[in-house]
Amino acid sequence: MASLNEASNRALRKTVIIAIFAAVSVVLSIVESIIPIAAAGPPGAKLGLANIMVLTCLYFLPARDTLVMVLLKTLLTAFIFGTFSSFLFSIMGALFSFVAMWFLLLVGRDKLSMLSISVIGGIMHNLGQVCAAAFYFSASQIFYYFPPLMLTGVATGIAVGIAVRYLIPALTKLSLFEGFLQRS
């Protein structure tokens, strides 16, 4: 019976972690929408603050659970900001980024820095959005935006990676996260 209680307690804690990460991601997306980076960068450029939570979630939970969080975050932000095109761009960017970061953690958790994984995630997020835009507008010329967006992805990936580098050790000190940090 104690084992059943422990399993149900762990499942509940995992659900709470996913919900917290999704909620914080949505809040970070709202904060990001207030910051006028688009005026200084190429069209579609964003800070990618919500990726702080995606990468952090990948360090604590299995890919399947992180994917749930990514989908929740994307759906909730689409309802808040929402048009179909913004949802399409957001989901494609989120999925490209998620898959890339998950794969890099899977094959190189001990070999790659958090910063490098985050930078690749930022670049892949932009690639996913450009692919979505090319599909949506039926225009391959949109790929001309990718090089400046890639530079933006590198810069924002560095910032996200630095934030995650400090966030993970802080969260591991909280009892909610005890026993959840993924090992290679």
Side-chain angles (χ1 to χ4, degrees):
M1 192 66 159
S3 177
L4 183 61
N5 283 339
E6 288 174 24
S8 114
N9 183 27
R10 182 172 172 81
L12 177 61
R13 286 182 24 214
K14 186 190 310 186
T15 302
V16 168
I17 290 170
I18 292 168
I20 289 170
F21 282 1
V24 172
S25 293
V26 170
V27 170
L28 289 172
S29 293
I30 292 168
V31 168
E32 182 177 280
S33 73
I34 297 168
I35 301 170
I37 188 173
K46 290 181 164 186
L47 291 174
L49 297 177
N51 284 334
I52 293 169
M53 301 316 298
V54 174
L55 185 53
T56 302
C57 194
L58 276 168
Y59 269 86
F60 281 101
L61 299 175
R64 178 191 69 233
D65 297 324
T66 303
L67 180 59
V68 168
M69 191 278 297
V70 167
L71 294 173
L72 274 171
K73 179 241 348 157
T74 306
L75 286 171
L76 290 170
T77 54
F79 284 132
I80 292 169
F81 295 118
T83 63
F84 173 74
S85 60
S86 67
F87 170 73
L88 178 65
F89 300 159
S90 184
I91 194 73
M92 288 294 287
L95 290 175
F96 271 52
S97 177
F98 163 76
V99 168
M101 292 188 299
W102 165 76
F103 179 74
L104 291 173
L105 282 168
L106 183 69
V107 299
R109 182 180 294 264
D110 296 332
K111 298 172 192 79
L112 299 169
S113 72
M114 202 172 309
L115 226 58
S116 61
I117 292 170
S118 180
V119 166
I120 296 300
I123 292 168
M124 293 305 291
H125 192 279
N126 290 331
L127 179 60
Q129 288 188 323
V130 170
C131 287
F135 170 77
Y136 185 77
F137 295 112
S138 296
S140 62
Q141 296 85 352
I142 288 178
F143 283 99
Y144 290 119
Y145 282 112
F146 184 63
L149 281 173
M150 188 170 73
L151 294 175
T152 304
V154 169
T156 59
I158 290 170
V160 165
I162 290 169
V164 173
R165 183 185 298 163
Y166 288 102
L167 184 59
I168 288 173
L171 292 177
T172 57
K173 295 176 184 174
L174 300 176
S175 62
L176 175 65
F177 293 91
E178 189 175 298
F180 278 105
L181 192 63
Q182 295 290 303
R183 303 289 177 209
S184 54

